[in-house]
Amino acid sequence: MKKVAYFFGGSFDPWHNGHERTIRDLLAKKDERVILIAPAYNPWKNSGLIPLKERINILKELYKNIPQVRVLEEGFTYTVEFLEKYAPNYELILVM
Protein backbone atom coordinates (compact mmCIF):
# COMPACT_ATOMS: atom_id res chain seq x y z
CA MET A 1 0.00 0.00 0.00
CA LYS A 2 1.30 3.46 -0.95
CA LYS A 3 1.83 6.16 1.65
CA VAL A 4 -0.45 9.16 1.32
CA ALA A 5 1.31 12.50 0.93
CA TYR A 6 0.35 16.10 0.33
CA PHE A 7 1.99 17.65 -2.74
CA PHE A 8 2.58 21.40 -2.41
CA GLY A 9 4.41 22.71 -5.46
CA GLY A 10 5.10 26.21 -6.71
CA SER A 11 7.81 28.73 -7.37
CA PHE A 12 7.59 30.06 -3.80
CA ASP A 13 9.47 33.14 -4.97
CA PRO A 14 9.18 34.42 -2.34
CA TRP A 15 7.79 32.12 0.33
CA HIS A 16 5.11 34.15 2.10
CA ASN A 17 2.57 34.01 4.92
CA GLY A 18 -0.04 32.31 2.72
CA HIS A 19 2.33 29.43 1.98
CA GLU A 20 3.25 29.15 5.66
CA ARG A 21 -0.43 29.15 6.65
CA THR A 22 -1.11 26.30 4.22
CA ILE A 23 1.63 24.19 5.82
CA ARG A 24 0.42 25.04 9.35
CA ASP A 25 -3.14 24.03 8.37
CA LEU A 26 -1.92 20.69 7.00
CA LEU A 27 0.15 20.03 10.13
CA ALA A 28 -2.86 20.87 12.30
CA LYS A 29 -4.73 17.92 10.77
CA LYS A 30 -2.40 15.63 12.74
CA ASP A 31 -2.97 12.90 10.17
CA GLU A 32 0.72 11.93 9.93
CA ARG A 33 0.75 12.38 6.15
CA VAL A 34 4.01 13.56 4.66
CA ILE A 35 3.99 17.05 3.17
CA LEU A 36 6.16 17.25 0.05
CA ILE A 37 7.13 20.84 -0.72
CA ALA A 38 8.42 21.10 -4.27
CA PRO A 39 9.97 24.48 -5.10
CA ALA A 40 9.86 24.89 -8.85
CA TYR A 41 12.07 26.45 -11.45
CA ASN A 42 10.06 28.82 -13.64
CA PRO A 43 11.72 29.28 -17.04
CA TRP A 44 9.13 31.90 -18.07
CA LYS A 45 10.25 34.41 -15.48
CA ASN A 46 13.27 36.39 -16.67
CA SER A 47 14.46 36.85 -13.14
CA GLY A 48 13.09 35.85 -9.82
CA LEU A 49 13.60 37.45 -6.48
CA ILE A 50 15.46 34.49 -4.98
CA PRO A 51 17.46 31.83 -6.88
CA LEU A 52 15.98 28.32 -6.74
CA LYS A 53 18.81 26.78 -4.70
CA GLU A 54 18.50 29.52 -2.10
CA ARG A 55 14.69 29.04 -1.89
CA ILE A 56 15.25 25.33 -1.33
CA ASN A 57 17.81 26.04 1.40
CA ILE A 58 15.51 28.54 3.13
CA LEU A 59 12.65 26.04 3.19
CA LYS A 60 14.89 23.21 4.39
CA GLU A 61 16.09 25.39 7.27
CA LEU A 62 12.55 26.51 8.08
CA TYR A 63 11.24 22.93 8.36
CA LYS A 64 14.37 21.08 9.51
CA ASN A 65 12.78 20.10 12.84
CA ILE A 66 9.47 18.93 11.40
CA PRO A 67 10.01 15.42 10.01
CA GLN A 68 6.56 15.33 8.44
CA VAL A 69 7.64 18.10 6.03
CA ARG A 70 10.06 17.23 3.24
CA VAL A 71 11.51 19.90 0.98
CA LEU A 72 12.42 18.41 -2.37
CA GLU A 73 15.59 19.54 -4.11
CA GLU A 74 14.89 18.60 -7.71
CA GLY A 75 13.58 22.00 -8.82
CA PHE A 76 10.93 20.62 -11.15
CA THR A 77 9.58 22.83 -13.91
CA TYR A 78 6.46 20.81 -14.68
CA THR A 79 4.11 18.96 -12.35
CA VAL A 80 4.33 15.92 -14.62
CA GLU A 81 8.06 15.65 -13.81
CA PHE A 82 7.19 15.47 -10.12
CA LEU A 83 4.46 12.89 -10.75
CA GLU A 84 6.74 10.66 -12.80
CA LYS A 85 9.14 10.47 -9.87
CA TYR A 86 6.83 10.41 -6.84
CA ALA A 87 3.46 9.00 -7.97
CA PRO A 88 4.75 5.40 -8.04
CA ASN A 89 5.57 5.66 -4.30
CA TYR A 90 2.79 7.86 -2.95
CA GLU A 91 -0.92 8.43 -3.23
CA LEU A 92 -0.78 12.19 -3.69
CA ILE A 93 -3.16 14.91 -2.55
CA LEU A 94 -2.66 18.12 -4.51
CA VAL A 95 -2.52 21.23 -2.30
CA MET A 96 -3.41 24.54 -3.93
Side-chain angles (χ1 to χ4, degrees):
M1 178 178 237
K2 292 182 182 180
K3 282 184 93 172
V4 179
Y6 296 108
F7 165 58
F8 190 34
S11 63
F12 307 128
D13 189 15
W15 182 259
H16 55 69
N17 291 339
H19 298 129
E20 178 63 25
R21 174 65 189 261
T22 300
I23 297 300
R24 281 197 319 261
D25 288 349
L26 292 173
L27 290 169
K29 291 177 173 279
K30 298 190 184 301
D31 60 10
E32 302 302 316
R33 291 180 177 151
V34 173
I35 302 167
L36 302 173
I37 300 177
Y41 167 72
N42 188 341
W44 299 280
K45 288 185 179 178
N46 289 336
S47 63
L49 295 174
I50 305 169
L52 177 62
K53 187 65 177 162
E54 191 173 337
R55 284 181 274 142
I56 290 169
N57 290 337
I58 290 167
L59 291 170
K60 287 177 88 61
E61 180 66 23
L62 186 62
Y63 294 107
K64 69 182 177 187
N65 295 322
I66 305 173
Q68 186 179 346
V69 176
R70 297 189 188 141
V71 179
L72 307 177
E73 298 186 38
E74 288 90 339
F76 298 106
T77 299
Y78 300 102
T79 301
V80 69
E81 294 170 332
F82 170 87
L83 293 173
E84 287 171 348
K85 181 164 184 178
Y86 287 93
N89 302 315
Y90 291 97
E91 180 180 327
L92 295 166
I93 299 169
L94 178 62
V95 177
M96 297 182 76

